[in-house]
Amino acid sequence: MHAPLETTPKNGGLPIKFFLTPDMMPEAATLSQLEVLANSAGLVHHVAVLPDIHRKSRNLSPTGTVVAANNAIVPRAIDTGICCGMRMVRSEIEVRDLRAPALDALFDELRATIPVLEHETEVISKDDVADILVQGGKWSQSKYGLSEAEMNCIEDRGTMPTDTADPAMILASMPEKPMKKGRRCFGTLGDGNHFLELQEIVEVIDPGLARQLGLEEGRAVFMLHTGSRSVGSKTMKAYLETFEEKSAPARNDSPIWSLPADSEAGAKFARAIAAASNFGFANRIAITERLRAAVRKTLRDESLQLPLLYDCAHVSIKLESWNGEKLWVHRHGGSRALPPSQMREHPVFSQTGQPVPVPGSMGHASYIGVADEKTVGTFYSINHGAGRVLDKPEAMAQFTAAQVEKEMRDKNIRLYRYGADNIAEQAPSSFKDISRVIKAMAALSLARPVVRLRPVAVLKG
DNA sequence: ATGTAC
């Protein structure tokens, strides 16, 4: 087993721990961003770097990092995609039985019932948005009649803890614009790297774990990647603007600035992030209900169960328990990943660890794993994917949409699109080799791989 | 990431 590589920034700051293999060490520009992050006020312990580390030009801190604070909210340590996350849905569908017309019918139905961008009209009421922001998964559970077993397969049951039980205080933390946006963007997928995929389990790597998780070779698994949509991004944007204007309320002057979590402003910000996260979890639940309805309808089998395997976020700021401390954990492209010792109350995951998605690109394999005990070093997190080798502008310069579509055809992967013009950003060759990434995760005991999957049909912006 | 500035 590898130990994480560790460096100390030249100009001081926290140690930076690299949970990856030496061939995945980031380039100089990313390293200097990490040094700035390591010097941010309020952070404690170390900066955890994940195997999918990559710089994103619009962000001050790189994707694939996790940091923690005793008493600080550090908005620039994450990005605007609050509660961006993934869920995995199991099935008893044998992929070899699926014919092209059935896949076309299913994905036409999905595209018709799950819009990529905002709905043209309001699909939920103002009161529903308010309830979702306050209750998250709890609202969804009563709306859709979800079982307790299903709720326990969602990070924090999709309901973020806030420091107040008073709904009015939570809603008072939300700016006007995201509250309004929520009425139109509920149940939408989003574009960019968001997707809904049908995958086939093509290799069982750990038969014992696969059996415990209900995963069998040849079966279909659905992976969904989306978040809180404009509710989260507008919330973040409103707060960033508030604190980055010249007349800003007090904050430290680092580019990656922080607010004391126990200050009025910090507590309000944390509450807004919790509320937007609730919306993100509810959004993934709503889309899953559409998915289940579409599968049952187009495959003409109302008895199909489609159980949730797990749902976790990879962009979040949350107060969590860690080694006997309470820490504000900031995940920036790091999936929450609890090992067996941190899931004592769950009948299956207390034995296996939390199921974790490791999506490759749309043209490559994905993996499902379980969190292993060394995630304590990453504040219980793993990489949320393969990570990029080309950033989005580089990918746009090198590939065209037509090339991406041809590559998918050549690989016999059905690609269903809504028609956004930015799919070249997601060209498969823009991402690291997922098999090397999964090896690094296993070598560092972040996750144990359980099954490998191949993409069969992909729905993308 | 976001109908990407009211």
Side-chain angles (χ1 to χ4, degrees), chain A residues 85-145:
Chain A
M86 294 210 36
R87 55 171 39 203
M88 302 171 282
V89 176
R90 297 188 289 128
S91 81
E92 295 188 345
I93 300 166
E94 297 284 350
V95 172
R96 65 165 179 265
D97 295 339
L98 291 174
R99 296 289 173 265
L103 284 170
D104 285 345
L106 170 56
F107 278 76
D108 285 346
E109 180 73 8
L110 291 171
R111 189 163 42 192
T113 55
I114 304 167
V116 59
L117 300 177
E118 272 189 5
H119 290 91
E120 284 169 17
T121 56
E122 291 165 4
V123 288
I124 51 174
S125 69
K126 194 177 171 184
D127 288 346
D128 281 339
V129 173
D131 289 345
I132 292 166
L133 291 169
V134 171
Q135 300 176 32
K138 200 174 165 189
W139 179 89
S140 312
Q141 183 175 21
S142 59
K143 165 113 178 154
Y144 306 115

Side-chain angles (χ1 to χ4, degrees), chain A residues 153-168:
Chain A
C153 293
I154 305 173
E155 175 181 355
D156 298 327
R157 296 168 62 95
T159 302
M160 294 299 101
T162 60
D163 63 348
T164 173
D166 181 356

Side-chain angles (χ1 to χ4, degrees), chain A residues 75-320:
Chain A
R76 287 291 186 185
I78 65 164
D79 66 33
T80 57
I82 298 170
C83 198
C84 198
M86 294 210 36
R87 55 171 39 203
M88 302 171 282
V89 176
R90 297 188 289 128
S91 81
E92 295 188 345
I93 300 166
E94 297 284 350
V95 172
R96 65 165 179 265
D97 295 339
L98 291 174
R99 296 289 173 265
L103 284 170
D104 285 345
L106 170 56
F107 278 76
D108 285 346
E109 180 73 8
L110 291 171
R111 189 163 42 192
T113 55
I114 304 167
V116 59
L117 300 177
E118 272 189 5
H119 290 91
E120 284 169 17
T121 56
E122 291 165 4
V123 288
I124 51 174
S125 69
K126 194 177 171 184
D127 288 346
D128 281 339
V129 173
D131 289 345
I132 292 166
L133 291 169
V134 171
Q135 300 176 32
K138 200 174 165 189
W139 179 89
S140 312
Q141 183 175 21
S142 59
K143 165 113 178 154
Y144 306 115
L146 305 177
S147 69
E148 280 295 292
E150 172 149 349
M151 296 309 293
N152 289 330
C153 293
I154 305 173
E155 175 181 355
D156 298 327
R157 296 168 62 95
T159 302
M160 294 299 101
T162 60
D163 63 348
T164 173
D166 181 356
M169 278 184 81
I170 297 164
L171 294 173
S173 70
M174 290 298 289
E176 231 4 83
K177 195 166 173 176
M179 302 271 287
K180 240 180 144 167
K181 281 283 181 187
R183 297 154 78 170
R184 284 176 184 262
C185 73
F186 189 68
T188 65
L189 182 63
D191 62 353
N193 61 359
H194 292 176
F195 63 78
L196 176 55
E197 285 187 10
L198 190 168
Q199 303 172 351
E200 178 185 5
I201 299 173
V202 287
E203 183 189 359
V204 172
I205 300 164
D206 188 316
L209 287 169
R211 199 175 313 114
Q212 284 174 288
L213 299 182
L215 299 170
E216 287 180 37
E217 190 172 337
R219 296 273 168 95
V221 168
F222 293 92
M223 276 199 194
L224 167 66
H225 180 190
T226 185
S228 59
R229 310 282 293 111
S230 50
V231 171
S233 67
K234 299 291 179 197
T235 298
M236 190 59 108
K237 207 166 172 211
Y239 272 87
L240 293 177
E241 277 171 8
T242 302
F243 288 98
E244 292 179 358
E245 281 171 6
K246 285 221 163 59
S247 57
R251 61 172 174 91
N252 62 312
D253 62 3
S254 162
I256 301 180
W257 48 272
S258 61
L259 300 169
D262 61 4
S263 65
E264 195 187 332
K268 224 173 134 184
F269 200 163
R271 252 175 246 141
I273 288 171
S277 297
N278 283 339
F279 191 91
F281 282 108
N283 191 41
R284 284 196 288 277
I285 293 170
I287 290 176
T288 302
E289 291 305 300
R290 293 293 172 96
L291 168 68
R292 286 170 171 156
V295 173
R296 288 169 186 151
K297 177 181 167 188
T298 59
L299 301 186
R300 296 188 181 83
D301 185 352
E302 285 302 316
S303 66
L304 272 172
Q305 286 306 301
L306 299 163
L308 177 66
L309 177 59
Y310 209 78
D311 179 318
C312 55
H314 52 242
V315 178
S316 59
I317 301 178
K318 285 166 54 190
L319 188 61
E320 295 184 351

Side-chain angles (χ1 to χ4, degrees), chain A residues 400-413 415:
Chain A
T400 64
Q403 279 176 312
V404 172
E405 290 180 328
K406 181 179 185 307
E407 180 178 351
M408 297 291 277
R409 272 197 307 278
D410 290 348
K411 288 180 165 168
N412 196 26
I413 303 165
L415 174 60

